[in-house]
Amino acid sequence: MTHLAALASLAGYFFIAPSADAAQSEWARSEGGDIRIVADRPQPDGTIPAILDIRLKPGWKTYWLEPGASGIPPQVRIDPKDGISFSGMRFPAPKSFGDGVGGYTGYDKSVAFPLLLKSEKSGNLSLKASVFLGICKDICIPVQAELSLSLTEGAAENPLDKARIDDAVAALPGQPSETFKVKAASFDTAGKRLRLSLVFPGVSAETPPELFLAGPPGYSFGKPENVTVANGEFTAEVPVRVPAKGGALKSGSVLLVARSGERSMETPLAFD
């Protein structure tokens, strides 16, 4: 049974009521794992360090930003009326699982996604979040939760919360560098293919990088083809599935995450 078929067979999904106020929300529990939000006090510039903390049970997985044909991208909505703005979520480098229609991209161990939050007012703050994601094994369990916590002005920093958040940020892909970067990128509109050239650590035909791509809604990306390694560079073509009303991908509209061993790099693609 595919994940989508399993989803269709479910009459509903897990729904968790709002938690009590705390620097950590209560855990929202499901068959395959639990989720919560952990936040620290606002910084002088108004940013609020925070993570969506996902505790998976053995054998279960959850999804990346671009989950594949059978996956569920994680979604978070923050209620802005309480004075906290939300501009997105960041992800550590994922893994690929399976092939074809049943293949997907995500994580098979507990993981934390940093949240980009900012305080828009002074004083005590109440963070209320709606979270929707998939946690999957033989079937996929959609999990929806309403999570809440309070951030009290002048409260002491919690070192355990700070360490959790710092660890999640440290696990994110790095910025491009001279030794790990995209050297060239282009999109062939007629052929519906991305052409990429990368410089990355330890480049060889035996140890190619793993590439993960996320684009505008409706676009999806195949496995790299026509791969070559020469003169310290990796080149490949990636088939692109373009939606019926889609068109040429614009420069900056596709996010690339490349993994080489223990290192990973993230960058939007600037097309030649």
Side-chain angles (χ1 to χ4, degrees), residues 93 180 200-203 207-210 212 258-265:
F180 199 178
F200 70 96
V203 60
T207 57
E210 295 179 89
F212 306 96
R259 182 204 291 273
S260 176
E262 296 301 314
R263 291 184 63 182
S264 59
M265 178 270 293

Side-chain angles (χ1 to χ4, degrees), residues 247-270:
L249 287 168
K250 296 180 180 180
S251 187
S253 67
V254 177
L255 179 72
L256 167 73
V257 173
R259 182 204 291 273
S260 176
E262 296 301 314
R263 291 184 63 182
S264 59
M265 178 270 293
E266 176 182 288
T267 185
L269 292 179

